[in-house]
Every structure is written in C-alpha cells, then in structure tokens.
Amino acid sequence: DTFTIVDFYESKMSEYDSMFAFMPIETLQQMRGMVDPVTGVPSVTSIQLKLRPGVDLNKARDKLLAHFPADQYAYRIETLRDLQGPLLAAVQMETTILNILLFLIIAVAGFGILATFFMIVVEKTRDIGILKALGAPSSGVLSIFLNYGLSLGVLGSSMGMVLGLIFVAFINQIAGVVESIIGHELFDPTVYYFQKIPTIVNPAMVAWV
C-alpha cells in the first residue's frame, strides 16, 4: 500500500528506530488479515506497556504472569531486561572490567604518592634530627608530615572532583571536538544505542570516591 509520511519519531535507540514505523492500527490489521471474518474482532501480535519511573519491572511481570498463567494463555510476558539480557550482561561485564582497571590505576598512583612522601621524609632526615635535638616530640614531627600529606590529599581530591564534574558536564561537547579532530564518531549509534553520551552524577558516589 501507499502511505504519506507525516512526522518523524526517534527513540534514541537505533535498534528500534531502524525497525519501527507508526501507522493506524486498524489499517494494518486489515492489510495483514488480523480481523476475524466471523466475529469482526481484530487481533494484535504484541502489547507493550510503559511503566512509571521507579516501578519494579520484575514485580509487574510477575503480576501479569499470575493474571495470565502460561498453562491457560499462550502469552509470553517479558520485560525489556529479559529481551535485552545479552546486551545488558555485556554492559555489566564491561563495567566490572572498567572498575578493575580503575582500581589498578589508582593503586599505581597510590604507590607513586607513597614513594614521593617516603623520599620527602628521607630528604628531611637531617632537619628531623635537628628538630628532635631541639626537643621536638616525635608526635609533633609526625603531625608535620601528616598535615602536609593531608593538605595535599584534600587539595588534589578537590581539584580532581571539580575537573571530573566539569568534564562530565561537557562530555558531549568534548566528544564533538575529538570527533572533529579524528574525523569519525567516537560512539557509533548503531553499536552503542545512544545519540549522545549519557551521564548521571550520583552525589553519594562522588562523595565515596
């Protein structure tokens, strides 16, 4: 049949955008012979439900399964997580690997910081001896280095947090600059299922890090 395109819709997921077209359902049912010739009752192949944010998908699925038991109805009730299980599992694995890599990077940086402070203490051995000879207690000398390290840690962490939040806030603009330099997209929408890099800032996670 011939139809007139009246508008465009984009879900931001290329898998769906490449497959779906919206049209009057009555017309489609007539074309596909999905109207019972005796009763005139039309049928459908699937029903998709959009739930409110925060709703437990598994609970909603289980309620529908209880209402439409498999031994009585030939319905297959699944959540988006069930349908996209392999993709979500792959993303979870990538996240785990990235966390391990991040931990190793932080560990290397931590050893570097420890080595730096160790060298500072070694270089100041003569000065420490002079302070001790003048009657400075060991706790006082210790507090000097602890306060110095704490100050550097607080300053470095604060600067890192601010720079990280700025980077996250402008990550799509930064990606655009990088793409213009290298000449191709960093994240192909047909592979990564998003048009823009999605970011979520969790204050609790920021504080924990």
Side-chain angles (χ1 to χ4, degrees), residues 10 12-14 17 172 185 187 189 193-197:
E10 188 176 34
K12 306 298 183 183
M13 285 200 55
S14 59
D17 291 338
N172 285 291
E185 288 183 301
F187 299 99
Y193 299 117
F194 54 74
Q195 301 291 330
K196 294 183 178 180
I197 303 173

Side-chain angles (χ1 to χ4, degrees), residues 119-137:
M119 293 302 298
I120 291 174
V121 174
V122 170
E123 290 176 356
K124 299 296 182 182
T125 301
R126 186 175 299 175
D127 299 324
I128 294 172
I130 294 173
L131 289 174
K132 296 278 286 183
L134 293 174

Side-chain angles (χ1 to χ4, degrees), residues 14-34:
S14 59
E15 180 182 3
Y16 297 113
D17 291 338
S18 62
M19 294 168 52
F20 280 97
F22 294 89
M23 61 178 293
I25 189 170
E26 295 83 3
T27 305
L28 185 61
Q29 288 168 332
Q30 292 288 346
M31 289 176 59
R32 298 191 62 188
M34 299 173 68

Side-chain angles (χ1 to χ4, degrees), residues 109-187:
F111 281 118
I113 293 170
L114 286 175
T116 301
F117 279 109
F118 179 77
M119 293 302 298
I120 291 174
V121 174
V122 170
E123 290 176 356
K124 299 296 182 182
T125 301
R126 186 175 299 175
D127 299 324
I128 294 172
I130 294 173
L131 289 174
K132 296 278 286 183
L134 293 174
S138 298
S139 59
V141 177
L142 179 64
S143 66
I144 292 174
F145 290 98
L146 287 178
N147 289 330
Y148 175 64
L150 182 63
S151 300
L152 284 180
V154 171
L155 180 62
S157 299
S158 300
M159 290 179 61
M161 181 183 68
V162 171
L163 290 175
L165 292 174
I166 292 174
F167 180 84
V168 169
F170 296 97
I171 190 169
N172 285 291
Q173 290 86 336
I174 295 172
V177 173
V178 174
E179 289 172 356
S180 65
I181 294 174
I182 63 178
H184 63 82
E185 288 183 301
L186 287 176
F187 299 99

